[in-house]
Amino acid sequence: MSLDLAEANFSHLSKEFLRVVEVAAVESARTMGFGQRKQSDRAAVEAMREAMRSVPMNGRIVIGEGERDKAPMLYIGERVGRGAALPDDDANPFPAVDIAVDPLEGTNLCATGAPNAIAVLAAAERGGLLHAPDMYMNKLVVGPAARGRLHIDAPVAENLRILSECLRRAVGDLVVSVLDRPRHEKLIAEIRAAGARIQLISDGDLSAGISAAVSGSGVHAVMGIGGAPEGVLTAAAMKCLNGEIQARFVLKEQLHAEDCAKVAEDSETIARMQAMGITDPKRVYQTDDLAPGERIIFAMTGVTNGNVLRGVRFFGEGKRTSSLLMTTRPHTVRLVDTVHVEGGPDAVIRL
Ligand code: VTB
């Protein structure tokens, strides 16, 4: 029998994944503000892939940089970790793990030095993360206080009223994070009409979702259409943070004209969804549908400063990273502040 993702392995792996997201963040952060999003992304992808090689697991990428023919690294289906050199069968001595990666979530944010760029991955036992195609997804993300209380199909004003009750404050005190896109004109108008405040973001609805589930971040919900892969990663984070995501895939016919050019014809998309096991394209996905795993590991490191994490800081004697490392078993949320010392025996560590 191949090893299950047993408790001991599981906590050990989480530390390995921390190292993986830390190096991806460091390498992309070196390119901050260069105005070269592809270069920033490549730096993160290469660093993450290299760091992943030595992880003692039989890993398989389920959400990655794209299909194999388009992405040479961390493509969907790529096997990673020390177990990748051996057949993917019961005799493989390494624990079988499914992995969703976003080596640099917010490539533009990094390229311009804007807040909330992160390096992130989620892992689970095999089958623990939905194989979501790279397409658009409508999302509603809230924190623990409102879990189970809102519905993605309810009118925006009603959801905001319930959210305000759950958070014991006025609707006018709420902040909803929304991607700043023409497709959200109506949504933005509805949030404004309901009286809530809005944080328009240029990119990064995954880190916004995490903010919504962390009290004190200043964000109370995320609404609107972003990427489906980011939706699965958000779900993995919500399992650890006791928050909630509700989501639905969005087909071309429902998209704003501006976004239509970016997506394939619906017939092609539906075929891709079916190949990935998604038979009902209109279904509402709950947190547990997107991330059904029981043993989830979620690791993220700040690249640029953000609502929850600080970005990478470089200084003469090393660098410092700020990360979130979360597991469902045991259920822990670690805020990890790492000093990577490079200055030798005379380096001074500061608080
Ligand atoms: C979405 C969002 C991501 O890119 O995928 C977005 O989920 C792309 O949307 O967080 P557009 O096609 O409208 O630009 C991010 O913002 C960053 O990867």
Side-chain angles (χ1 to χ4, degrees), residues 105-106 136 139 179 181 183 203-205 226-227 230 259 262:
E105 152 74 343
Y136 284 112
K139 314 173 197 180
L179 278 168
R181 296 289 189 277
R183 62 176 176 267
D203 269 302
D205 66 354
E230 289 82 355
D259 297 315
K262 297 187 222 157

Side-chain angles (χ1 to χ4, degrees), residues 37 102 104-109 134-137 139 179-184 201-208 225-231 234 258-259 262-263:
R37 59 188 291 253
D102 201 345
L104 179 57
E105 152 74 343
T107 52
N108 282 321
L109 301 174
D134 189 4
M135 59 186 288
Y136 284 112
M137 183 175 242
K139 314 173 197 180
L179 278 168
D180 190 4
R181 296 289 189 277
R183 62 176 176 267
H184 292 144
I201 52 172
S202 64
D203 269 302
D205 66 354
L206 165 55
S207 83
I225 297 172
E230 289 82 355
T234 304
E258 188 226 29
D259 297 315
K262 297 187 222 157
V263 303

Side-chain angles (χ1 to χ4, degrees), residues 4-13 295 328-330:
D4 184 17
L5 197 49
E7 307 285 342
N9 276 321
F10 188 72
S11 3
H12 181 65
L13 276 182
R295 294 161 194 262
T328 51
R329 281 206 204 163

